[in-house]
Each structure stands twice: as C-alpha cells, then as structure tokens.
Amino acid sequence: MRKLELHWQILIGMLLGLVFGYIMTLVGGGKEFVLDWVKWLGTIFIKLLKLIAIPLILASLIKGISDLKDISKFRNIGIRTIAIYISTTVVAITIGLLLVNVIQPGDGISDATISKLTNTYANDSGVTSKIAEASKQKSGGPLQFLVDMVPDNAFKAMSNNGLMLQVIFFSIALGISMLLIGEKKAKPLKDFFDSLNDVVLKMVDLIMLIAPFAVFSLLANVVVSSGDPDLLLALLKYAAVVVFGLMLMIVFYSMVVAVFTKKNPFWFLKQISPAQLLAFSTSSSAATLPVTMERVEEHIGVDKEVSSFVLPVGATINMDGTSLYQGVAAVFIAQALAFDLSFADQLTIVLTALLASIGSAAVPGAGMVMLVIVLEAIGFPGDKLAIGLALIFAVDRPLDMCRTVVNITGDATVSMMVAKSVGKLGKPKVKNWDDHLDEVK
Ligand code: ASP
C-alpha cells in the first residue's frame, strides 16, 4: 500500500485533534484530561524542533557561505533578500489596511460587547504582560536592534533561542572568515560543518515522524484552552478580515512564484505544506524553521547557499502575516473605540508595522506585543491600551496560527525568488529518514 503523504498525515492529525479537543470541552474534566495527558506530546515536539534550530542555523549558514567561493555573491544575496523582504511586507500591510478601511469591522461592535470584552480580558495577564513586554522593548532607542544583533559571547548567543539573529551574525562572520583563509586551511572546519548540517537535517526527518501525533496534541490543547465561544463570534468580522487578507497574501505569493520562478504555484504550496501545517499548529516561525529549511532545500531545490541565509533571517525579520494583522488590528481597535485616524496615521501604521514585524520574535503571540508599539505610534492613549488589546485578545491565538503560516510561506517564496535570481534554484533532492537504515541495521 502506498504510504499516505506527510501533509495528509499531519492534516488528519490536526482534524482529529480539533474534534477530540471539542469533545473534551463538552465533558466534565475534559480540559484537565487534555492538559495532563495529551498536551505533553506537542510540548516535546516543539522542544525537539527548537533543540535543533540553533545547530541547524549554525551548520547550514557556515556551510552555505563557505561554499560560495566568492564573497561578492553573498553581498548580492544579502541585498536582494532584505530588499524583497521589505517589499513583500509593505504589500502585506497595504492589503491589510485596504481591507480594514473598506470593510470597517470595528464599526459594528456594540458597546455591550466592548464592555464584556474589556471586563473579561483587560486585566488578564495575557494582555498586561504584552503591554509590559512592549515597554521593555521600546526603551532601547531606534537603533537598539543593531546593537542587539551583535553578540558579545558566542556561546551565550547559542544557548538562547531568542538570540537567533546573534547566532546568524556569528555564523556569517565565521563563514566569511573561512572563505578568507583559503580553501585548504578551512577544509577541516568546513567538513565538520558539512557533516553537522547533514546530521541535523536527518534529525528533522526523525522528529517529523511524530508530527502527525504531535499536531493532534497541539490542536486539542488549543481548543480546550480557547475562550468563550460567544466572544469569539462577536469578533468574527474582524477575524474574517484578517484571514481574508492572509489568504490574499498566499495568492500573492503564488503569483510571485509563477511569474518570477516559472514554477507551478500548486506544486510550490504542496511541497511547503508540511511546514505550513506545523506553523499553524505551533504558532511559531522559529519552531517551524528546521522544517521550512528542509522542505525548501530538499523538496523545492533551493540551494543551501541561498536558503541557509534567507530562511533563518526571514524567520526572525520577515513577518508578512504579522504585519498585515498589526495593520488590521490597529485600525479595528481605533474604529471600535471611535478613535479617529488620519491618512498620516495610516502611513505611520505602514512604517511602524514594518519595523514592528522586523522586531517581533518568531514565537506565539509576539505580534501582539509589537501591536502595542504600533498603537502608541499613532497616539493611541496609553490608558486605553489594555482595553484595545482586550478587544482582540479572544481571537488572537487562532489568528496567530494563520499569520504564522503566511510568515513562513513568505520566507519560502522569497528564498525561491532570490535563488532563481542568482541561478541557484535547482532540482529537488528528497532524502528520507531511512535512506541508510539497512547499513546500520
Ligand atoms: N507567531 C508568529 C510567528 O512566529 C509571530 C506573531 O505574529 O505573533 O511567526
């Protein structure tokens, strides 16, 4: 019998998880059962993915750069990547702002709903912690992100998943220096990182063996932990605008893939789908990164010289879904609380959401922290921030799941574009977890 393809296995796991989670919300003690006996597998799965993220970035970036043979190529890739990332993010924010201004989801919200949402969530630790986090992030000045990118201790950087940009910085510095000492001298180190890279990619294959079960656990947990269904319904129009915008982004990526890389967009979406499904289930681009890299390199055929730089950088700085959501959410909150926005305010949203999406961490809920900064930039009163966030908090998790899918799809699209533009988009070379099993049996 032909084995079911991975994306179908994961999809079935997700659907069963949703149904199981829903049934558990109906039975007494169901939520506790899921938290005690089901959630653990999903948590372990995310830990495993995060476990290999840093070694993978290190090994693949160093391998990618030291393969280049010519530093000017790296500069080429770097400039194109950043320029395209900024352009796609601006497209995303523009789509979000157009939709929210035309559909105006915030105008129909009744005062009763606003006060119910405020009473339920304004003092919720989920909301207050996001505001506190945002003020911490803001205190460093506009160029703080540059300072933060440079590590003062390589091992400290590697010991913290939140410091991914520092690891990228260190790996680039190491890779370039390896190029500069000449091929012969760099060979031992290069062989080491080549091998480490293959080993870590094999670990991705192994971890993916439990993916269908893990997504079951993750989604069952999301369902039992979600808020009051009535409140979710009240926010349906707002959520629909965000989801519609995100879907338009997928259409946009498909067109870009077709036009710039001449590949069939359905083929692209199929190859990347396991990573998309994991992004949806984990709400974290960082946790999904190892799988995104594996799919893009082995199943789409992007050369490591490109993907090893474009994808880790994209996971941390390119968040099209998040910026689209920030644009919609900021205007929705303003509409609902009758806070007037001028055209200049909307332009400010474009700029701050662009910067905010660059600054957002690739973890669940990070987009909402940076939304606080977007709201403050348009002069939204500080004492109403908690109310503003309370309005959208109930649907934040499902929207986070959807925007993370767009975030990683954007990264994959850009990696294809950059690869095509420098002649590095080749044929896929799929490797399976058991390719060499016979030799070690
Ligand atoms: N969860 C998103 C990501 O990891 C970030 C966000 O929008 O909150 O890409």
Side-chain angles (χ1 to χ4, degrees):
M1 199 180 74
R2 223 179 107 226
K3 226 173 116 224
L4 204 58
E5 282 178 285
L6 181 62
H7 58 275
W8 288 119
Q9 294 180 26
I10 299 178
L11 205 58
I12 294 171
M14 289 168 68
L15 288 176
L16 291 177
L18 284 176
V19 173
F20 179 75
Y22 177 68
I23 295 172
M24 284 294 126
T25 57
L26 303 177
V27 299
K31 178 173 178 183
E32 289 67 32
F33 178 81
V34 172
L35 295 181
D36 289 344
W37 296 100
V38 179
K39 189 180 168 193
W40 64 275
L41 185 62
T43 310
I44 290 182
F45 180 67
I46 293 185
K47 283 178 95 171
L48 287 172
L49 288 171
K50 287 185 176 167
L51 169 71
I52 54 172
I54 298 283
L56 183 61
I57 295 175
L58 196 71
S60 79
L61 201 48
I62 292 173
K63 175 177 163 42
I65 294 180
S66 56
D67 274 348
L68 280 175
K69 309 229 162 46
D70 172 5
I71 308 181
S72 67
K73 262 198 206 158
F74 179 66
R75 199 187 50 215
N76 234 337
I77 294 175
I79 293 173
R80 275 166 213 224
T81 305
I82 304 293
I84 304 177
Y85 274 157
I86 293 177
S87 323
T88 57
T89 306
V90 171
V91 169
I93 306 171
T94 311
I95 291 181
L97 287 182
L98 281 176
L99 288 178
V100 73
N101 281 298
V102 171
I103 303 176
Q104 310 222 336
D107 284 351
I109 288 231
S110 69
D111 287 347
T113 311
I114 293 181
S115 61
K116 195 167 173 204
L117 287 165
T118 308
N119 292 338
T120 318
Y121 295 114
N123 294 317
D124 187 292
S125 62
V127 166
T128 50
S129 67
K130 296 224 154 54
I131 296 176
E133 175 93 359
S135 74
K136 225 174 33 197
Q137 295 221 11
K138 231 183 27 195
S139 58
L143 293 183
Q144 184 62 29
F145 74 98
L146 279 181
V147 177
D148 289 343
M149 220 183 266
V150 183
D152 57 4
N153 182 327
F155 293 96
K156 202 168 105 201
M158 283 186 261
S159 67
N160 183 347
N161 281 333
L163 297 178
M164 221 129 100
L165 282 178
Q166 295 197 355
V167 177
I168 294 172
F169 183 93
F170 176 66
S171 311
I172 293 175
L174 204 76
I176 291 182
S177 307
M178 278 167 67
L179 282 178
L180 291 175
I181 62 168
E183 218 170 285
K184 201 162 142 249
K185 278 204 176 139
K187 189 167 182 314
L189 207 52
K190 186 167 170 351
D191 287 346
F192 170 77
F193 283 113
D194 276 4
S195 168
L196 179 62
N197 180 62
D198 286 344
V199 171
V200 181
L201 278 176
K202 187 55 64 186
M203 285 172 79
V204 178
D205 291 340
L206 293 178
I207 296 168
M208 286 303 277
L209 292 176
I210 61 164
F213 307 99
V215 293
F216 172 88
S217 146
L218 288 168
L219 286 191
N221 180 48
V222 167
V223 176
V224 297
S225 311
S226 64
D228 179 351
D230 286 345
L231 291 182
L232 293 181
L233 274 179
L235 295 173
L236 206 60
K237 201 167 164 197
Y238 153 71
V241 172
V242 176
V243 172
F244 183 53
L246 294 176
M247 280 160 46
L248 289 182
M249 279 311 287
I250 300 283
V251 174
F252 169 69
Y253 297 138
S254 301
M255 284 169 12
V256 166
V257 165
V259 173
F260 287 97
T261 71
K262 308 275 180 287
K263 298 267 184 203
N264 182 336
F266 294 107
W267 171 83
F268 162 67
L269 290 174
K270 184 174 169 205
Q271 300 312 312
I272 196 75
S273 59
Q276 289 176 319
L277 295 173
L278 286 196
F280 185 81
S281 309
T282 61
S283 283
S284 166
S285 316
T288 313
L289 178 65
V291 183
T292 317
M293 289 183 87
E294 194 247 8
R295 298 307 296 187
V296 165
E297 284 166 19
E298 292 182 9
H299 296 256
I300 293 183
V302 172
D303 198 288
K304 184 171 285 304
E305 287 171 22
V306 173
S307 63
S308 67
F309 173 74
V310 178
L311 293 175
V313 170
T316 32
I317 72 163
N318 180 52
M319 297 197 180
D320 298 346
T322 301
S323 54
L324 183 145
Y325 144 86
Q326 284 164 342
V328 175
V331 177
F332 168 77
I333 291 171
Q335 285 169 353
L337 299 179
F339 177 80
D340 271 339
L341 288 179
S342 63
F343 185 66
D345 288 333
Q346 306 250 0
L347 285 184
T348 308
I349 293 179
V350 175
L351 202 70
T352 42
L354 173 65
L355 295 175
S357 80
I358 293 175
S360 298
V363 296
M368 206 171 177
V369 173
M370 300 310 264
L371 174 64
V372 174
I373 294 174
V374 176
L375 284 170
E376 284 178 339
I378 50 173
F380 193 79
D383 55 334
K384 282 200 178 158
L385 275 176
I387 301 177
L389 293 196
L391 289 188
I392 56 166
F393 190 71
V395 283
D396 199 60
R397 179 68 192 207
L399 293 184
D400 193 2
M401 296 160 82
C402 300
R403 62 191 191 238
T404 309
V405 173
V406 171
N407 289 346
I408 68 113
T409 311
D411 299 341
T413 307
V414 175
S415 75
M416 278 178 84
M417 285 170 79
V418 175
K420 179 77 184 177
S421 75
V422 293
K424 292 281 173 193
L425 185 60
K427 291 257 171 301
K429 281 182 259 18
V430 180
K431 293 185 190 137
N432 292 309
W433 75 272
D434 51 1
D435 286 345
H436 299 277
L437 193 59
D438 286 342
E439 297 160 28
V440 288
K441 245 187 183 161

